[in-house]
Amino acid sequence: MNKKRRSVPGIRHYDGPAGGWGALKATAIAVRTQMDALEAPATLLRTNQPDGFDCPGCAWPDKEHKSTFQFCENGAKAVTWEATTKRVTPEFFANNSVSSLWAKSDYELEGYGRLTHPMVYDKASDTFRPVEWQEAFRRIGEKLRQLDPDAVEFYTSGRASNEAAFLLQLFARELGTNNFPDCSNMCHEATSTGLPRSIGIGKGTVSLEDFDKTELVISIGHNPGTNHPRMMGTLHELSRRGVPIIVFNPLRERALERFADPQSVVEMATLGSTDIASTYFQVKAGGDAAALKGIAKHLLEREVREGGILDQPFIDAHTQGFADFAADIAATGWEEIEQESGLTREDLDVVARAYAKSNATIITYGMGVTQHNKGTANVRLIADLLLLRGNIGKPGAGICPLRGHSNVQGNRTVGITEKPTAAFLSRIEEVFGFTPPTKHGHDAVMATQAMIAGEAKALICLGGNFAVAMPDHEQAFPALQKLDLSVHVGTKLNRTHLLVAKETWLFPCLGRTELDMQRTGRQSITVEDSMSMVHASSGKLRPASPHLLSEPAIVAGMARAALPDSKVNWEELVADYDMIRDRIEQTIPGFTDYNQRIRTPGGFRMPLPPTERVWPTPSGKAMFSVFEGVDENAKGVGESVLRLITLRSHDQYNTTIYAMDDRYRGVFGRRDILFMNEEDMTERGLEHGDRVDIETALPGHAQRLEDITVVAYSIARGSVGAYYPEANVLVPLDYLDKESGTPSYKSVPVRLTLRSKEIRPL
Ligand SMILES: Nc1nc2c(c(=O)[nH]1)N[C@H]1C(S)=C(S)[C@@H](COP(=O)(O)OP(=O)(O)OC[C@H]3O[C@@H](n4cnc5c(=O)[nH]c(N)nc54)[C@H](O)[C@@H]3O)O[C@H]1N2
Ligand SMILES: Nc1nc2c(c(=O)[nH]1)N[C@H]1C(S)=C(S)[C@@H](COP(=O)(O)OP(=O)(O)OC[C@H]3O[C@@H](n4cnc5c(=O)[nH]c(N)nc54)[C@H](O)[C@@H]3O)O[C@H]1N2
Ligand SMILES: [Mo]
């Protein structure tokens, strides 16, 4: 670490804690560059308030939704980014052809500001032109009626409200398809697939109160300082209470080491900070299963030696499959555990001891666990570890997947799934009077494959940046351009919008911060957070343009035009979102008294049977699993293969790049870098600042990313890290978790070739 390195433009060692004055400064910049200085303070203060809007930044809950504004740099960025005063108008489009916009960076595209008018692509001029809403709906309806419903893909990005998502699935199902690729397929699908098999429901089991009571937190593969910033307040409290926090992460993430709470007067004044992780294990990318198996092995061995380690009464009364699980762990050797995890047997014993001592443990996890080709099996192993000591369904304990988009969980709850249950479909039929299709539809990878094969003809996107978020741009981009029809509902311009099909429509919608007026008055929408709390959100800002429609109104507009004989009274639903919620209540269990209960501050919690030790699995028990082997079964080809992690910088929200810095990792003004362990560099004759080409090291793949600067970083050996979405070109579309369809964004085998020793100027 102290070795003198040559200086590389934009790379500086960051010494401070996460949060602190840097966070306040970054917030001030976000406000200044995006918003009207007069409106900003009031808007930010309405974030996550009882009568305000839900922060579009992340899905971490708020205590009772009535605390004073929970200060959060990245929440402020998400809000100011939406509430910007910059506009993308018809004049802008007239002056900028689609080909000229294509040459801009993703950062520039969104940076132009909010979309103001519904637009349609005009091939002759290669520009988007303004169009009337009704005319647009009419033409889309006409087109959709000509297509086989199963040739239409309905994409949802998890920012959509429960109301908009429910209407979208209703529209698609009445049209006749279950094609619902959604961002969850790239995110927590491994949770949605794995947890129901283990505990009967695909959601986390903890609440904020559990964090108050917990005795140990194990944090695996997530970066809360950037991605779930409001969670930092919780971790900060825990650490001050002396609760150990054990982290597994290949990268040293500053916020998991040290955090200064911008709300703590003392820390801010004294430039102090609180240590977060009590122990930090730099596991290899993809090495978590080995590590988890190692912890379980210690526990099982100690149980034999000393007894009293496992919660045997819980295991006997509540679970099945323990014997097979234990036999597999016994058969797993220490050598393979150490090799695959990159951690020692002693390291894992430290964790096992802490775990055995704790009466209530929470395991939190994110994309570092799910985005692997054994993502589902990883999630199940986490559940297994918790089951060993009865850590589900007791206060202070449980499993805590950190959800992504602020309402990705809610979208799922209200029916966005390509594999609907028979019970759900029969409720749709009873409530609405049409027969929905039963044939399973496409998830995100399948939808992309169908577009590549030319089988899918139309793509309708409720938000998001589908093609850029997906793997393998080289195949996915041209596939979108072959479509007959694409429709994008969005707030800002992005690259997927520019992949114009034979017919492409761009629909600007209201954001969360904005006032949504319909025929019966001001509307609110609802969202479900990471802890299954459903609550209302209503914006107050004047909409970015008078021509915007709400997401429910846009979906309903298309549906009415495409389904002239629809059984659904779309107009009535859009006039008053209470009516949509009434339909949701009639269709989906758990929403009893929906409209009444969202009017109480904080909303209500969706049913979570495992919290009461009720297991809605086929056997009625919580199920142990068996993780075959310890590795991900993809070694890559040839010597020198490294495992690539694609990740988010501190200044981005998924494909939205707010700015070019990644402060806590010491990167400023650039994103074209590869984080690499210094010993791995030396072994390959590479130096800090060298420029390399990265190549996917899997048979049959010639995917490349060129001219990337190598940066020495504290990262596990054999693992390298690059930014998403730039590095998505390296991720093969079919390199995924077969159980859940989640792309392995966090473990792509790659090889490097030196391109130049010359330092690249900024
Ligand atoms: N500001 C901001 N907030 C966001 C988002 C955003 O982009 N910006 N995105 C939202 C969305 S949709 C999501 S899904 C979440 C994502 O939130 P996270 O789950 O935190 O996602 P990532 O940044 O992709 O990084 C995951 C972390 O996993 C680590 N990691 C990578 N591979 C492995 C591994 O094999 N094992 C272990 N143990 N760790 C590993 C990485 O080093 C990194 O610290 O955040 C949400 N919130
Ligand atoms: N390599 C790699 N790839 C990844 C990941 C990774 O870790 N590594 N992570 C994956 C994950 S976890 C996810 S969730 C996906 C994200 O995939 P998406 O959800 O598709 O992508 P976003 O970047 O969140 O979408 C940004 C766009 O959403 C639109 N938008 C913003 N707010 C609103 C709104 O209120 N309404 C509507 N209608 N539109 C709005 C804007 O037009 C903006 O351009 O990416 C995945 N891709
Ligand atoms: Mo996500």
Side-chain angles (χ1 to χ4, degrees):
M1 264 294 156
N2 298 323
K3 209 168 93 193
K4 187 97 188 96
R5 294 191 191 122
R6 59 182 172 164
S7 120
V8 177
I11 308 299
R12 296 197 290 276
H13 186 64
Y14 178 84
D15 243 345
W21 290 106
L24 286 186
K25 190 170 139 210
T27 310
I29 294 172
V31 169
R32 196 172 64 233
T33 52
Q34 296 297 334
M35 281 186 80
D36 182 332
L38 289 176
E39 271 184 340
T43 302
L44 289 174
L45 284 167
R46 279 196 295 268
T47 314
N48 290 346
Q49 291 301 297
D51 185 38
F53 57 88
D54 181 71
C55 182
C58 76
W60 188 255
D62 272 310
K63 270 196 181 150
E64 297 167 5
H65 254 250
K66 60 186 182 195
S67 55
T68 49
F69 171 55
Q70 300 234 3
F71 191 86
C72 158
E73 172 193 342
N74 278 358
K77 282 185 208 152
V79 170
T80 54
W81 192 252
E82 177 176 299
T84 180
T85 46
K86 299 176 188 175
R87 297 288 179 269
V88 172
T89 59
E91 293 69 52
F92 171 92
F93 280 117
N95 295 328
N96 291 279
S97 67
V98 166
S99 343
S100 72
L101 290 170
W102 182 261
K104 305 290 180 189
S105 68
D106 294 329
Y107 170 54
E108 289 168 303
L109 289 179
E110 278 217 31
Y112 289 125
R114 291 286 300 276
L115 299 164
T116 60
H117 286 68
M119 308 292 291
V120 60
Y121 179 65
D122 171 55
K123 196 160 186 235
S125 62
D126 186 34
T127 57
F128 277 103
R129 298 198 159 176
V131 62
E132 290 299 322
W133 282 108
Q134 293 313 320
E135 166 69 5
F137 293 151
R138 191 184 60 72
R139 283 174 49 194
I140 291 169
E142 214 168 88
K143 187 93 221 167
L144 286 175
R145 283 199 301 275
Q146 292 161 11
L147 294 174
D148 168 4
D150 279 330
V152 186
E153 307 287 348
F154 287 86
Y155 178 68
T156 353
S157 163
R159 199 175 279 195
S161 60
N162 279 358
E163 292 72 12
F166 183 76
L167 291 191
L168 187 79
Q169 64 80 34
L170 199 59
F171 168 27
R173 293 198 162 106
E174 193 174 16
L175 191 72
T177 184
N178 284 312
N179 285 343
F180 292 109
D182 83 321
C183 75
S184 192
N185 299 142
M186 309 174 218
C187 183
H188 264 294
E189 196 61 51
T191 299
S192 308
T193 307
L195 282 189
R197 294 179 193 165
S198 292
I199 60 170
I201 186 165
K203 300 181 180 186
T205 66
V206 297
S207 65
L208 278 183
E209 288 67 45
D210 288 316
F211 281 89
D212 294 338
K213 297 183 186 131
T214 192
E215 295 182 16
L216 169 69
V217 171
I218 303 179
S219 146
I220 314 181
H222 64 106
N223 185 20
T226 291
N227 298 322
H228 305 93
R230 278 177 290 122
M231 183 189 194
M232 290 314 298
T234 307
L235 293 178
H236 192 253
E237 264 171 51
L238 287 176
S239 151
R240 305 206 123 194
R241 206 154 55 74
V243 175
I245 300 172
I246 300 178
V247 171
F248 287 92
N249 197 313
L251 275 83
R252 283 235 157 229
E253 301 284 24
R254 180 44 46 92
L256 288 167
E257 298 181 295
R258 268 185 294 142
F259 178 72
D261 187 350
Q263 299 202 79
S264 156
V265 178
V266 176
E267 283 185 359
M268 293 297 277
T270 59
L271 298 183
S273 64
T274 302
D275 289 347
I276 296 293
S278 52
T279 324
Y280 205 117
F281 292 110
Q282 286 184 274
V283 63
K284 279 190 193 172
D288 300 275
L292 289 163
K293 283 183 123 177
I295 301 167
K297 194 170 173 72
H298 276 302
L299 293 169
L300 294 172
E301 287 177 354
R302 186 156 314 135
E303 173 71 16
V304 174
R305 281 200 312 270
E306 303 162 18
I309 302 292
L310 307 183
D311 185 343
Q312 205 62 57
F314 173 85
I315 294 174
D316 294 343
H318 288 285
T319 73
Q320 271 184 16
F322 172 74
D324 289 342
F325 171 79
D328 173 68
I329 298 292
T332 309
W334 282 113
E335 202 179 320
E336 46 179 344
I337 288 174
E338 290 191 329
Q339 196 187 339
E340 201 60 32
S341 66
L343 304 172
T344 65
R345 183 173 172 170
E346 293 71 38
D347 288 339
L348 298 171
D349 195 35
V350 171
V351 189
R353 279 170 195 276
Y355 182 61
K357 212 171 100 187
S358 157
N359 293 308
T361 300
I362 293 175
I363 304 186
T364 61
Y365 69 93
M367 299 298 101
V369 166
T370 59
Q371 293 176 335
H372 289 283
N373 49 22
K374 291 223 176 146
T376 300
N378 283 344
V379 169
R380 295 206 60 190
L381 257 183
I382 293 179
D384 293 336
L385 191 63
L386 289 167
L387 292 175
L388 285 179
R389 286 184 44 79
N391 274 313
I392 296 188
K394 83 175 168 196
I399 190 157
C400 178
L402 274 305
R403 287 281 170 173
H405 267 297
S406 49
N407 194 39
V408 60
Q409 188 163 317
N411 286 188
R412 271 304 162 84
T413 305
V414 302
I416 298 295
T417 169
E418 74 283 2
K419 292 183 279 224
T421 62
F424 172 72
L425 293 177
S426 79
R427 287 306 303 155
I428 293 264
E429 179 149 12
E430 276 166 50
V431 173
F432 293 98
F434 67 85
T435 308
T438 52
K439 190 178 133 204
H440 286 181
H442 294 155
D443 65 8
V445 168
M446 289 160 82
T448 309
Q449 285 165 338
M451 287 185 243
I452 293 169
E455 288 155 14
K457 304 286 182 201
L459 172 67
I460 298 183
C461 293
L462 185 59
N465 190 358
F466 179 70
V468 176
M470 284 297 284
D472 206 343
H473 295 167
E474 222 169 289
Q475 283 199 75
F477 285 4
L480 264 77
Q481 291 168 309
K482 283 191 312 199
L483 294 171
D484 289 345
L485 170 72
S486 58
V487 181
H488 301 286
V489 182
T491 49
K492 295 209 175 174
L493 188 60
N494 65 44
R495 196 165 299 283
T496 303
H497 304 160
L498 301 177
L499 289 165
V500 287
K502 291 199 186 94
E503 219 179 276
T504 293
W505 305 83
L506 198 48
F507 290 158
C509 65
L510 293 172
R512 285 248 180 103
T513 53
E514 291 166 325
L515 186 66
D516 183 352
M517 289 297 286
Q518 300 296 342
R519 219 175 56 219
T520 62
R522 181 183 173 200
Q523 304 297 317
S524 53
I525 52 110
T526 55
V527 295
E528 177 179 338
D529 68 29
S530 252
M531 294 179 188
S532 302
M533 295 296 299
V534 177
H535 52 79
S537 164
S538 42
K540 278 199 181 132
L541 284 187
R542 188 161 28 92
S545 138
H547 306 283
L548 304 188
L549 290 185
S550 73
E551 290 178 343
I554 296 172
V555 173
M558 288 190 285
R560 230 175 30 210
L563 304 161
D565 305 318
S566 178
K567 304 271 195 220
V568 179
N569 188 339
W570 298 96
E571 261 149 30
E572 176 189 81
L573 294 178
V574 170
D576 180 357
Y577 298 175
D578 277 4
M579 307 287 263
I580 307 180
R581 287 185 283 270
D582 284 341
R583 295 295 176 281
I584 295 178
E585 177 177 336
Q586 287 163 21
T587 315
I588 301 164
F591 283 103
T592 317
D593 298 331
Y594 196 175
N595 279 309
Q596 286 81 335
R597 287 197 291 163
I598 56 160
R599 285 178 168 78
T600 55
F604 64 93
R605 198 164 196 211
M606 291 302 289
L608 282 172
T611 60
E612 285 144 44
R613 297 199 163 170
V614 174
W615 318 99
T617 55
S619 67
K621 302 276 183 189
M623 301 300 292
F624 278 97
S625 72
V626 171
F627 187 107
E628 305 281 346
V630 282
D631 65 8
E632 301 199 317
N633 285 339
K635 292 285 178 217
V637 280
E639 291 293 303
S640 290
V641 171
L642 295 158
R643 215 167 247 182
L644 174 73
I645 298 170
T646 59
L647 33 64
R648 296 159 165 79
S649 79
H650 191 61
D651 278 351
Q652 82 182 74
Y653 195 96
N654 297 339
T655 68
T656 297
I657 315 298
Y658 299 130
M660 300 296 283
D661 299 346
D662 193 5
R663 193 166 80 241
Y664 300 150
R665 299 194 187 111
V667 180
F668 300 89
R670 62 189 305 179
R671 295 172 52 85
D672 57 341
I673 56 145
L674 183 74
F675 297 110
M676 192 164 177
N677 180 294
E678 214 150 11
E679 289 169 43
D680 285 334
M681 286 165 57
T682 310
E683 212 176 76
R684 288 166 179 74
L686 291 173
E687 272 178 285
H688 186 60
D690 282 352
R691 290 151 65 178
V692 296
D693 293 339
I694 313 176
E695 209 182 334
T696 306
L698 283 167
H701 288 278
Q703 294 169 245
R704 283 171 82 75
L705 179 62
E706 298 189 342
D707 204 358
I708 297 297
T709 292
V710 172
V711 170
Y713 199 79
S714 180
I715 180 170
R717 285 212 63 181
S719 311
V720 286
Y723 293 121
Y724 140 62
E726 290 85 340
N728 287 36
V729 291
L730 293 166
V731 187
L733 191 59
D734 56 1
Y735 187 60
L736 42 69
D737 173 24
K738 293 207 171 53
E739 292 186 85
S740 69
T742 314
S744 303
Y745 293 123
K746 299 284 192 270
S747 55
V748 184
V750 294
R751 201 179 299 115
L752 310 181
T753 45
L754 180 67
R755 183 187 179 91
S756 164
K757 285 265 170 202
E758 216 168 286
I759 290 207
R760 186 183 167 132
L762 257 193

